[in-house]
Every structure is written in structure tokens, then in C-alpha cells.
Amino acid sequence: MTTVWAVYFSGTGTTERTVTHIAGELARLLAAPCRSLDFTRPQVRQQELDFCQSDLVVLGTPVYAGRVPNVLLPFLREKVRGGGALAVPVVLFGNRNYDDALIELRDILREDGFRCVAAGAFVGEHSFSRTLGAGRPDHRDMAEQSAFAREICEKLAGQAGTEMAPVSVRGETPIRPYYTPRDRHGNPINILKVKPKTDPDKCGGCGLCAELCPMGSIDPVDVSQVRGICIKCCACVKKCPSGAKYFDDPGYLFHQHELEDVYTRRAENEWFV
């Protein structure tokens, strides 16, 4: 390896922490330099990204409704080229389940020309919640990520040629539909068009939310206006220094509270080598 890459989309920082830790451990064990590329900002996803056979790329995305976020698919499928590089797809899920996100990301990277030697699904604090998966990734998670990196290095050192066969991961093909939240009567809840609100009494007008929005949807002149789509990453909510951003949609809040009631347990990380 000439370079280990940490490549990620991370609205609230959990995917970034996980991917950079795994990549950093791999770089240390392989005595290779480590470089990072954050494609969270929309302008970065307009660029093309090329790798080569001597690269090892840890590429991570969050899990949205059990899948790779659909807003990332054009970038991942059209702008990223593996060039025969080794890859480690990583997905971050918010304590519920990652469903088919990992197998989906693995297959996308294979189609891009990567050789997927390992893959992992790790837990991070849910974007909707401050209690669901709170504080994760924590020290135990980081230790498991380090163990994952060691297993990858052992595979590369002791099983020459196995990198040509894509790693087997949990998931279904064909890929299942996106997870659909439902109300207490079993009716689907549609939160696709729900957008965050701004408390004018708390907002100091710093514009950080507009700067952080992965979709570039918040108006930097009037941050109370969300003029584009909202993917509910909650970067604006969780990173607002004054707590001015919030959601008040009943369907959104019902779904949030249902997740917190049903999935308040320590979900386990899973990895495949």
C-alpha cells in the first residue's frame, strides 16, 4: 500500500470518527500514510475521485432507512472510480439496523472498480436522537474498530489472492425497499418533506447551519429558510451553538420517540473479513 484513504459522508461526525479511526489504524499497521477526503459538502460531490491499485480506501456512509442515502448515489456511482484499489465499505447505523446498506455499498464499490476485502457496520448516535446510541462510537466501539483493522491486515498478509473475491456481508439481493416508519395504526409516515424550524429567540445569525448543511439547502442570508431538500441528517440541529434548530412535525416526532422506545439497547457492531 502506498496510501490508506479515509473517505466519508458524515453530517454529525459519527461516520467521520469511525472511518478515520479504522483508516488510521490500518495506516499505522501497514506503515503507510493516511489521507482523508470528506464528501459531506455538496461542492465536493461535484468533483471526480480516482484511486489506483496501490490504494486502500475505507469508504463510509451513514445508513438512512436501512440503505445508503439515495442523495449520495449519483456521486458514488458516477464520480468515484476505484482503479483496482482495495476497499473497505463501512456503514454507520443509529442503533436500529443497517438492513441492506452494507451489501448495497459493497456492490456499488465493486461496480466502481474496487476490490472489497472487508466490510463493517458500526453503531453511531442516531441523527434524530440524543439518547438512541448516545455517545457512540464509544471506547468499546473504537476497540472493536481497531480489532477490525488488525483482521484486515492479517488477511492481506496471510491470504494472498483473496482480495480478488468480494467479501461476503449480511444483506439481501435484490436490495429491499427503504425502511418505512409507521404510526400506531400501521399507516406509513412520510417525513420526506419535513424540514427543521428555527427559534428566532435563540438564533444568533452565525450561519453555521447553512455552512454545515450537506445539501446546501439552508439559506445563508436567512437561515430560517430551507429552500432545498432536507435529508434529516440533523447536522444543523446538533451542531447549532445556541440550540435554535428543531423539528416539530408530529410524524417526525412520533417516529423519533418510537425508535427511542423500541431500540434503546446496545446494538452490536458487525464486520466481515
Side-chain angles (χ1 to χ4, degrees):
M1 296 297 106
T2 58
T3 306
V4 177
W5 287 86
V7 182
Y8 53 86
F9 177 99
S10 187
T12 57
T14 54
T15 305
E16 176 184 5
R17 287 176 59 196
T18 297
V19 169
T20 55
H21 183 72
I22 294 169
E25 285 293 286
L26 287 168
R28 182 181 64 83
L29 293 166
L30 295 168
C34 186
R35 299 181 63 185
S36 294
L37 191 143
D38 179 356
F39 62 92
T40 310
R41 302 294 180 268
Q43 58 269 27
V44 178
R45 298 194 299 276
Q46 301 303 312
Q47 304 170 12
E48 296 184 347
L49 193 56
D50 290 280
F51 298 97
C52 65
Q53 288 188 347
S54 60
D55 289 327
L56 172 56
V57 181
V58 184
L59 192 148
T61 74
V63 176
Y64 284 4
R67 298 276 300 275
V68 175
N70 60 359
V71 294
L72 302 182
L73 297 181
F75 171 74
L76 292 172
R77 288 176 169 158
E78 300 167 14
K79 302 287 188 179
V80 181
R81 289 182 285 270
L86 301 183
V88 179
V90 170
V91 296
L92 257 286
F93 67 102
N95 222 58
R96 184 188 68 81
N97 203 314
Y98 61 93
D99 296 341
D100 291 336
L102 190 58
I103 196 169
E104 182 179 24
L105 183 59
R106 183 205 64 176
D107 289 349
I108 289 171
L109 295 184
R110 286 181 62 199
E111 293 167 4
D112 288 343
F114 290 94
R115 294 172 289 156
C116 296
V117 294
F122 293 89
V123 179
E125 184 176 290
H126 199 289
S127 61
F128 289 11
S129 174
R130 296 186 185 274
T131 62
L132 197 61
R136 300 185 69 182
D138 56 21
H139 291 302
R140 178 174 157 188
D141 295 316
M142 305 297 265
E144 292 184 350
Q145 293 163 18
S146 296
F148 178 43
R150 289 193 298 272
E151 291 181 24
I152 295 170
C153 290
E154 290 168 3
K155 175 178 182 177
L156 297 179
Q159 301 180 38
T162 58
E163 70 273 8
M164 299 305 295
V167 64
S168 295
V169 303
R170 185 165 67 84
E172 295 185 12
T173 52
I175 302 296
R176 289 169 286 182
Y178 290 90
Y179 171 81
T180 302
R182 297 182 181 275
D183 64 20
R184 60 177 52 89
H185 303 295
N187 301 311
I189 298 173
N190 189 341
I191 61 172
L192 292 177
K193 294 184 179 180
V194 173
K195 297 180 180 182
K197 301 290 184 62
T198 304
D199 184 337
D201 294 329
K202 293 182 178 179
C203 179
C206 69
L208 181 62
C209 57
E211 179 184 342
L212 293 175
C213 178
M215 305 312 297
S217 295
I218 298 177
D219 188 335
V221 177
D222 179 1
V223 296
S224 68
Q225 300 299 312
V226 183
R227 304 196 183 280
I229 66 170
C230 172
I231 60 174
K232 270 62 77 179
C233 73
C234 292
C236 63
V237 174
K238 291 193 171 182
K239 294 188 176 183
C240 176
S242 58
K245 289 287 186 181
Y246 65 98
F247 285 93
D248 64 356
D249 177 79
Y252 174 97
L253 295 177
F254 178 87
H255 179 41
Q256 174 194 335
H257 296 150
E258 179 192 42
L259 289 170
E260 292 172 341
D261 290 343
V262 175
Y263 296 105
T264 300
R265 83 281 195 250
R266 186 177 180 90
E268 297 300 324
N269 304 308
E270 293 187 3
W271 61 89
F272 308 85
V273 179

